[in-house]
């Protein structure tokens, strides 16, 4: 009896399509992601499901944590008073508070969407160089007296990683409470064995949500993309730098690494501390931190005397909520711009709402400038970035390719007054799929400082034009358009 291979093929194709539909629709997704996954699953039989196992599965409900209410309970009472203050211009007694009052709608939006208080009296230091950043971090770690809370997407077991671990071990031996959270995917190759000296010294280090094995977990999405360090509840860091040799500019592949992290001394530390405690309690079920315990409050939320004038909000977002707080923060900043918007991002894959905001700003006469890398670290992501760069260029947005290494900074500066620095890229993954944290600062001095850094980066970048994109090969154009179809899942 002859085998009807055509019939078997039709059965496979139909079965694959039905299974793809069941797989994608069994959990709620936005329309763009739904169609993108159907495209992958239907047109890449078997391979598509392997890709889905890594990139498409949603985080189980049992893994979601909704502890923000209890973790931030100690600051909630401040919100009503601050909302009332925003209605009174007379309370804006400093230049920074005046900017915050002028941005009252944005401030109130974060208060309502993320329970993000407005923290005043902050001093901010900016780091765009890995060596200088780590020198300051090591100095702060060395001077730690009670606690070190460190949380990074990437904590590699390489040269700089071993040096950071050694510094943490030394402080743990001195009796300092040392806690580390790292993402097992972002820290690929780093295992619990690497942190054994820290455990032996009395410290603790765990992968986010206790995901020890990427082989069995498979998930690429819903990762802990935070970069947080809080020392003694007095000094804190947030931004784009991770812990690894490539972030120090020691990688032959990437060369110079251009990034941005900030060091905060002031009340905004409370926001970083609250996020760390939230993540720690979700990760470790035994050594819980109770932020409502008086002793814990004294330890993790000490009274900080006035040190600066910058006014800030610490905003987090993630797949445990549909609010997309950081994304709507970006949109609000762009909408508020009167003169200029300056953006640095390694990945430029805006969803329709962000794309519209950039388009409207540019067509309204606002000078919108964006710096992205001129080299890839993820092929499909880079081609999608090129696609959106070409589309935005047609709309009058000025897109620059950074030529002095890899641009990894995630910053937005509006009119030299409002600044966002944090972990969130300008892409779908940061908006919807990963846990992110950003600072939003209302301060002209800091805004001008960040504007100057952007201008220096422009000198090392090349402005892209429509003619440049039109001269690209048909094959490169095909890769860009194909990658763009995958934007919601990259």
């Amino acid at each position: 009896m002859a085998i009807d291979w055509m019939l078997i093929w039709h059965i496979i194709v139909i079965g694959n399509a039905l299974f793809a539909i069941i797989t994608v629709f069994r959990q709620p997704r936005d329309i763009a992601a739904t169609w993108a996954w159907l495209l992958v699953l239907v047109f890449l039989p078997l391979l598509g499901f392997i890709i889905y196992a890594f990139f498409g599965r949603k985080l189980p409900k049992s893994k979601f944590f909704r502890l923000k209410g209890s973790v931030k309970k100690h600051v909630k009472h401040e919100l009503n008073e601050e909302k009332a203050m925003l209605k009174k211009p007379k309370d804006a007694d400093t230049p920074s508070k005046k900017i915050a009052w002028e941005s009252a709608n944005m401030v109130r939006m974060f208060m309502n969407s993320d329970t993000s208080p407005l923290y005043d009296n902050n001093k901010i230091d900016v780091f765009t160089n890995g060596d200088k950043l780590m020198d300051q971090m090591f100095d702060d770690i060395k001077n730690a007296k009670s606690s070190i809370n460190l949380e990074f997407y990437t904590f590699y077991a390489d040269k700089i990683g071993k040096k950071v671990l050694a510094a943490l071990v030394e402080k743990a031996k001195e009796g300092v409470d040392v806690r580390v959270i790292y993402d097992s995917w972002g820290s690929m190759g780093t295992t619990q064995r690497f942190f054994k000296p820290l455990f032996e010294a009395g410290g603790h280090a765990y992968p986010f949500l206790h995901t020890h094995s990427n082989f069995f977990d498979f998930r690429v999405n819903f990762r802990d993309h935070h970069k947080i360090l809080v020392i003694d509840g007095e000094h804190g860091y947030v931004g784009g730098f991770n812990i690894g040799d490539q972030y120090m500019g020691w990688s032959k592949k990437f060369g110079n690494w251009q990034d941005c992290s900030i060091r905060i001394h002031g009340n905004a530390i409370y926001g970083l501390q609250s996020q760390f405690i939230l993540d720690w309690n979700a990760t470790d079920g035994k050594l819980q931190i109770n932020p409502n315990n008086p002793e814990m409050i004294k330890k993790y939320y000490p009274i900080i005397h006035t040190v600066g004038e910058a006014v800030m909000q610490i905003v987090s977002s993630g797949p445990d909520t549909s609010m997309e707080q950081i994304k709507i923060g970006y949109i609000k900043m762009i909408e508020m711009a009167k003169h200029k918007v300056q953006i640095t991002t390694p990945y430029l894959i805006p969803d329709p709402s962000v794309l519209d905001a950039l388009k409207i700003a540019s067509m309204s006469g606002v000078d919108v400038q964006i710096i992205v890398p001129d080299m890839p670290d993820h092929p499909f992501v880079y081609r999608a970035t090129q696609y959106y760069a070409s589309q935005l260029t047609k709309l009058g947005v000025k897109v620059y390719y950074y030529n002095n290494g890899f641009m990894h900074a995630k910053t937005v500066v509006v009119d030299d007054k409002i600044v966002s620095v944090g972990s969130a890229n300008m892409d779908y993954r940061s908006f919807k799929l990963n846990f992110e944290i950003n600072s939003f600062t209302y301060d002209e001095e800091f805004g001008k400082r960040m504007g100057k850094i952007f201008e220096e980066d422009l000198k090392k970048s090349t402005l892209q034009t429509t003619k440049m994109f039109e001269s690209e090969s048909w094959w490169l154009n095909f890769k860009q358009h194909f990658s763009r179809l995958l934007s919601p899942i990259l």
Side-chain angles (χ1 to χ4, degrees):
M1 180 178 178
I3 299 175
D4 191 340
W5 292 107
M6 186 59 68
L7 177 61
I8 293 176
W9 173 250
H10 286 161
I11 292 173
I12 292 174
V13 170
I14 294 172
N16 182 81
L18 289 174
F19 194 39
I21 292 172
I22 293 172
T23 300
V24 172
F25 283 99
R26 68 190 179 93
Q27 290 179 316
R29 305 172 190 272
D30 62 65
I31 295 174
T34 297
W35 281 108
W37 277 119
L38 282 175
L39 177 70
V40 171
L41 294 174
V42 171
F43 288 97
L44 296 174
L46 184 59
L47 176 61
F49 284 98
I50 295 175
I51 296 173
Y52 181 86
F54 282 93
F55 293 90
R57 294 185 306 129
K58 302 196 99 177
L59 195 66
K61 290 184 179 180
S62 61
K63 289 284 189 180
F64 276 135
F65 45 93
R66 303 185 181 280
L67 305 176
K68 291 186 179 181
S70 62
V71 172
K72 294 187 176 182
K73 185 177 180 180
H74 69 282
V75 298
K76 274 191 172 182
H77 71 278
E78 301 175 16
L79 295 181
N80 289 333
E81 295 180 4
E82 290 182 354
K83 288 177 183 178
M85 179 273 288
L86 291 172
K87 299 178 182 179
K88 303 175 183 178
K90 62 182 180 180
D91 291 335
D93 54 359
T94 67
S96 295
K97 287 183 180 179
K98 183 179 179 181
I99 294 174
W101 176 78
E102 293 171 347
S103 310
N105 288 341
M106 179 174 171
V107 174
R108 194 178 293 110
M109 178 187 73
F110 285 138
M111 289 179 176
N112 292 330
S113 66
D114 193 47
T115 321
S116 300
L118 191 65
Y119 298 107
D120 58 3
N121 303 328
N122 297 287
K123 179 180 180 294
I124 305 172
D125 298 311
V126 185
F127 297 90
T128 59
N129 175 276
D131 287 321
K132 293 181 180 179
L133 172 67
M134 294 310 300
D135 284 346
Q136 184 62 63
M137 279 188 175
F138 282 128
D139 190 49
D140 285 339
I141 290 173
K142 181 179 179 181
N143 294 319
K145 295 179 175 60
S146 62
S147 66
I148 299 174
N149 292 332
L150 184 149
E151 178 179 3
F152 279 82
Y153 172 67
T154 300
F155 195 140
Y156 283 139
D158 54 13
K159 182 179 177 181
I160 191 65
K162 291 176 181 176
K163 189 174 180 181
V164 172
L165 178 63
L168 296 176
V169 169
E170 183 178 344
K171 297 309 295 186
K173 289 179 178 178
E174 294 176 8
V176 174
D177 183 11
V178 179
R179 303 180 190 229
V180 175
I181 304 174
Y182 61 98
D183 187 271
S184 59
W185 188 275
S187 306
M188 191 72 72
T190 301
T191 64
Q192 285 287 92
R193 186 181 304 172
F194 173 70
F195 292 103
K196 184 179 178 181
L198 180 60
F199 281 102
E200 292 175 343
H204 305 276
Y206 299 106
F208 182 60
L209 298 182
H210 262 299
T211 305
H212 289 280
S213 173
N214 291 307
F215 180 78
F216 292 105
D217 178 65
F218 289 113
R219 267 186 311 104
V220 175
N221 296 335
F222 313 119
R223 312 310 310 195
D224 179 12
H225 203 234
H226 297 154
K227 290 92 174 168
I228 301 171
L229 173 61
V230 182
I231 297 170
D232 292 341
E234 294 183 359
H235 303 286
Y237 296 80
V238 66
F241 277 102
N242 280 298
I243 298 175
D245 289 353
Q246 71 186 63
Y247 303 96
M248 303 295 291
W250 300 343
S251 166
K252 292 182 179 180
K253 177 181 178 181
F254 296 108
N256 176 61
W257 190 274
Q258 188 69 8
D259 216 321
C260 185
S261 286
I262 58 174
R263 177 181 184 268
I264 305 168
H265 183 41
N267 296 326
I269 297 301
Y270 299 156
L272 296 179
Q273 193 76 290
S274 292
Q275 186 59 53
F276 179 88
I277 292 174
L278 169 67
D279 295 340
W280 179 266
N281 287 346
T283 293
D284 186 81
K286 298 179 180 179
L287 298 171
Q288 295 279 291
I289 300 173
N290 181 2
N292 301 314
N293 181 300
E295 291 185 6
M296 292 294 184
I297 292 176
K298 184 178 180 181
K299 179 177 181 179
Y300 293 109
Y301 299 94
I303 297 175
I304 300 175
H305 300 288
T306 301
V307 293
E309 293 190 358
V311 178
M312 308 176 70
Q313 286 178 289
I314 302 299
V315 180
S316 59
S317 65
D320 58 333
T321 173
S322 61
M323 293 299 293
E324 299 181 27
Q325 294 94 326
I326 293 177
K327 186 191 81 170
I328 63 176
Y330 285 164
I331 293 174
K332 189 65 176 176
M333 288 180 72
I334 296 167
E335 289 178 345
M336 293 169 61
K338 292 181 173 62
H339 307 291
K340 63 181 176 180
V341 176
Q342 298 169 314
I343 299 171
T344 59
T345 179
Y347 316 123
L348 181 61
I349 310 178
D351 71 1
S353 59
V354 176
L355 195 61
D356 284 343
L358 293 169
K359 182 195 306 182
I360 292 169
S362 179
M363 296 179 69
S364 300
V366 176
D367 185 11
V368 182
Q369 303 174 323
I370 304 175
I371 301 178
V372 297
D374 71 347
M375 66 172 74
D377 65 339
H378 302 293
F380 286 106
V381 176
Y382 186 66
R383 297 309 174 199
T385 290
Q386 289 180 318
Y387 171 84
Y388 284 104
S390 67
Q391 298 304 303
L392 287 168
T393 297
K394 293 176 183 177
L395 299 172
V397 175
K398 298 174 183 175
V399 180
Y400 297 80
Y401 286 178
Y402 186 71
N403 307 131
N404 189 40
F406 191 78
M407 171 58 72
H408 192 252
K410 306 98 166 39
T411 67
V412 181
V413 185
V414 169
D415 294 337
D416 288 341
K417 291 183 178 180
I418 306 175
V419 180
S420 175
V421 177
S423 67
N425 301 306
M426 195 68 67
D427 67 357
Y428 280 86
R429 178 163 295 279
S430 286
F431 297 158
K432 298 175 181 291
L433 302 177
N434 285 340
F435 294 93
E436 307 283 357
I437 186 165
N438 276 39
S439 62
F440 287 83
T441 305
Y442 312 89
D443 183 73
E444 190 167 8
E445 188 276 329
F446 181 57
K448 289 181 177 179
R449 210 184 332 162
M450 290 298 297
K452 288 181 180 178
I453 291 173
F454 187 90
E455 295 294 335
E456 287 301 313
D457 289 336
L458 277 186
K459 295 177 182 178
K460 304 167 187 174
S461 307
T462 302
L463 176 65
Q464 303 303 293
T465 65
T466 54
K467 286 186 178 181
M468 290 179 179
F469 288 113
E470 289 171 355
S471 65
E472 293 175 340
S473 69
W474 69 269
W475 176 238
L476 180 56
N477 267 274
F478 171 78
K479 289 190 288 185
Q480 292 170 0
H481 281 74
F482 179 78
S483 298
R484 176 249 180 179
L485 295 177
L486 303 178
S487 294
I489 59 177
L490 287 177

